[in-house]
Amino acid sequence: QVQLVESGGGWVQAGGSLRLSCAASGRTLNDYAMGWFRQTPGKERDFVATLTWRTGTPYYTDFVKGRFTISRDNAKNAVYLQMNNLKPEDTAVYYCAALRLPGIISTTNYDYWGQGTQVTVSS
């Protein structure tokens, strides 16, 4: 079992930045990918970014490349999402998730999820 707790969401004006954090506990993450997804009301949950814990290799969806950066802190068992140049269309609830590998990293078929944190970007 992996417990995930997100933090760092909030309100920001367009062009601003936020950093989301996800603290993981329960087991070691060497065999996992740690990802971020987002969801707006009435829509499906979309893949944003993920990284494989063992190697730290990141993967991004096209609409955040160049603006968002996913990273990890092995000592703290935490994963982060640095979001720069935010746009109103980035407004969503952001979820942290853990996928036991091997698996498809860009779908919602992750094994564990956090409770989500709201990000609101005003124009």
Side-chain angles (χ1 to χ4, degrees):
Q1 193 82 352
V2 178
Q3 291 81 41
L4 304 171
V5 179
E6 302 101 332
S7 61
W11 177 90
V12 65
Q13 287 189 321
S17 299
L18 283 174
R19 187 192 193 211
L20 305 183
S21 300
C22 175
S25 61
R27 59 177 58 189
T28 58
L29 299 175
N30 285 337
D31 296 326
Y32 285 81
M34 297 295 295
W36 289 96
F37 290 75
R38 68 188 189 187
Q39 189 171 25
T40 55
K43 294 190 177 181
E44 295 184 349
R45 194 169 294 187
D46 292 328
F47 169 74
V48 175
T50 197
L51 58 76
T52 53
W53 193 265
R54 187 181 297 275
T55 64
T57 304
Y59 303 89
Y60 300 94
T61 191
D62 286 344
F63 56 76
V64 303
K65 284 182 180 177
R67 299 191 298 126
F68 292 9
T69 302
I70 189 170
S71 62
R72 75 190 194 296
D73 185 326
N74 286 347
K76 295 182 178 180
N77 235 31
V79 63
Y80 306 99
L81 187 68
Q82 177 66 43
M83 305 185 293
N84 298 329
N85 191 21
L86 282 161
K87 305 176 180 181
E89 50 264 42
D90 294 318
T91 295
V93 177
Y94 283 71
Y95 296 90
C96 176
L99 172 68
R100 179 69 184 267
L101 296 173
I104 302 174
I105 60 173
S106 60
T107 70
T108 56
N109 194 32
Y110 278 54
D111 299 290
Y112 304 101
W113 293 86
Q115 81 287 354
T117 185
Q118 176 70 46
V119 171
T120 303
V121 184
S122 65
S123 57

